[in-house]
Amino acid sequence: MSLSSDLVQAFRQRFGDGARLFRAPGRINIIGEHTDYSEGFVMPAAIDRSCLCAAAPSPDGVSRIFSLNRDGEVRELSAARGRQNDWSDYAAGVFSALQNAGVSPIACHIGLSSDVPEGAGVSSSAALEVSVLTAVLALSGIDATREQRAAWARSAEADFVGVPCGIMDQFISVSGQAGCALVLDCRTLEARIAHIPDHAAFAVIDSGVRHQLTDGGYAQRRAECEEAARLMNVSVLRDADLVLLAQASLRDVLHRRARHVITESDRVALTAAALGRGDLSEVGHLMNASHQSLQNDFAVTCPETDRLADLARSTPGVYGARQMGGGFGGAVLALCDRHAAANAVESILRDQERLSGRRTDGFVCAVGAGAGEIHP
Ligand code: GLA
């Protein structure tokens, strides 16, 4: 059975009939990593893997939730429950964010089922937050702009779950467009469409190393960026450039963190131009350069993702590869020739298994649309 019919049936068993069905996608990020919280540029695209959310009004005014990706048990989602340090915090965070914004959604019954891999840098958490948010707003008859939706979903993660993330993941999950990436200015939230050329395909290859953004490495990088900005007398690194950096005498670590953010934002503009020309070789070079910068300057890669990116680059049909997402493990994104992509993924996974003794997951993704209601 499909993900959605399984979910509808599971919902019916627990809460009865009448569920509406919503979905919100995970994402890839072609380039622009660890730049969003410095108000820089990113280039994400929504993918054809998503978190499904079946939802109906709760008859007794108490919100409840279950997830088929966990034990399927029904949990209460009362506003006062606080953080419980598990998956349900991402949904409770949505109710809390709405409440903090003075918006009063109705109580809902919610069931979730997701095929976005967790911890692989494709933003399973944003998919969960945005699917719950989309459902709750629709059931409550509350209209909101995409910027507002992204901000509420981000607040669920940043203010409730406690990961001080940027806006990229939630924004693209809300507003992705089929066949296109967005060049997003994380200061103004102005988003330009970048068409993905027909001969391009993106593959996500898991290293098997799991990151936990709540572990602190992510928050530490963010704090380092803020400190570098402060020492350069700018409000965020978006306002710095290499000339300013050369004049500032930052200690080595901060210098490298700032250099990553400044050069990475430039690479977003170059990538957008190269994509526009259909020049996949150049996009591949820029992705490789992004990985080098994440490895050497930002220090968020790990030996497994370094090796995997190398493997991908030496595979026929691959233009370039880099670690994607928050980092410290997770997945590598490879830009492939469309016709070679499936074979390339298989070959990379085989080589990786030979080297590490461990088989991981990999898939070619279609670039899909943002969140919405599904009418089966
Ligand atoms: C995570 C965060 C994003 C972004 C990326 C790194 O996915 O949720 O806001 O900072 O890491 O680019």
Side-chain angles (χ1 to χ4, degrees):
M1 275 214 288
S2 73
L3 213 59
S4 63
S5 51
D6 277 353
L7 177 61
V8 169
Q9 191 183 333
F11 187 96
R12 192 174 292 132
Q13 281 162 0
R14 290 160 179 77
F15 299 132
D17 286 325
R20 287 166 67 182
L21 202 55
F22 302 83
R23 61 169 279 284
R27 59 109 187 90
I28 53 173
N29 182 24
I30 298 173
I31 204 157
E33 212 68 90
H34 283 277
T35 50
D36 61 351
Y37 49 82
S38 290
E39 298 185 8
F41 291 84
V42 293
M43 198 196 277
I47 59 173
D48 54 346
R49 299 222 171 184
S50 44
C51 180
L52 297 184
C53 176
S58 162
D60 65 358
V62 178
S63 291
R64 296 182 182 83
I65 192 165
F66 71 88
S67 167
L68 292 184
N69 296 87
R70 294 295 192 277
D71 53 14
E73 253 174 53
V74 173
R75 315 264 299 263
E76 281 199 5
L77 268 185
S78 86
R81 78 197 258 290
R83 199 162 81 187
Q84 295 183 353
N85 298 316
D86 65 19
W87 65 273
S88 64
D89 288 346
Y90 295 93
V94 168
F95 282 89
S96 161
L98 289 173
Q99 204 172 44
N100 292 342
V103 176
S104 308
I106 62 166
C108 299
H109 280 163
I110 295 171
L112 300 176
S113 180
S114 176
D115 64 359
V116 186
E118 285 178 31
V122 283
S123 216
S124 57
S125 57
L128 194 162
E129 291 147 10
V130 173
S131 73
V132 170
L133 178 77
T134 307
V136 168
L137 291 180
L139 261 50
S140 307
I142 298 168
D143 207 16
T145 62
R146 64 182 190 173
E147 290 80 6
Q148 188 63 76
R149 288 166 189 261
W152 285 332
R154 191 198 88 88
S155 164
E157 183 143 352
D159 303 325
F160 193 85
V161 179
V163 178
C165 61
I167 194 71
M168 166 171 74
D169 304 347
Q170 291 80 11
F171 190 93
I172 193 68
S173 186
V174 167
S175 43
Q177 302 208 19
C180 300
L182 294 184
V183 181
L184 176 65
D185 178 338
C186 296
R187 167 167 283 168
T188 61
L189 294 189
E190 188 195 328
R192 264 192 311 118
I193 284 177
H195 290 278
I196 312 277
D198 286 344
H199 58 301
F202 288 97
V204 174
I205 300 143
D206 199 346
S207 68
V209 178
R210 283 290 165 265
H211 71 280
Q212 263 297 350
L213 293 189
T214 39
D215 278 353
Y218 183 92
Q220 191 193 355
R221 290 297 173 278
R222 185 169 179 152
E224 287 165 349
C225 289
E226 284 165 4
E227 195 187 344
R230 192 174 53 75
L231 293 171
M232 283 194 278
N233 284 322
V234 290
S235 65
V236 279
L237 288 179
R238 158 68 177 268
D239 297 321
D241 58 20
L242 289 176
V243 176
L244 193 63
L245 180 63
Q247 289 160 356
S249 24
L250 301 183
R251 64 187 158 91
D252 182 54
V253 165
L254 294 186
H255 183 91
R256 287 188 290 121
R257 303 298 186 254
R259 185 166 60 191
H260 166 73
V261 176
I262 294 166
T263 57
E264 183 75 352
S265 258
D266 289 346
R267 280 187 287 271
V268 174
L270 295 171
T271 302
L275 265 186
R277 298 191 303 272
D279 184 351
L280 298 190
S281 299
E282 179 60 10
V283 176
H285 286 311
L286 290 159
M287 288 173 66
N288 295 343
S290 168
H291 185 97
Q292 299 298 319
S293 180
L294 288 165
Q295 179 179 353
N296 300 326
D297 278 354
F298 217 65
V300 289
T301 69
C302 62
E304 292 84 352
T305 52
D306 293 338
R307 190 181 57 207
L308 187 54
D310 272 346
L311 255 183
R313 284 176 205 130
S314 59
T315 302
V318 174
Y319 292 101
R322 62 178 207 84
Q323 181 189 276
M324 182 173 61
F328 307 102
V332 158
L333 179 73
L335 171 61
C336 310
D337 181 85
R338 171 162 300 285
H339 302 293
N343 285 341
V345 170
E346 193 39 49
S347 147
I348 297 165
L349 290 174
R350 247 195 336 261
D351 288 347
Q352 149 142 293
E353 185 176 10
R354 192 168 38 75
L355 291 172
S356 69
R358 189 164 164 210
R359 176 88 184 175
T360 60
D361 192 23
F363 57 93
V364 179
C365 49
V367 170
E373 185 162 4
I374 303 174
H375 301 281

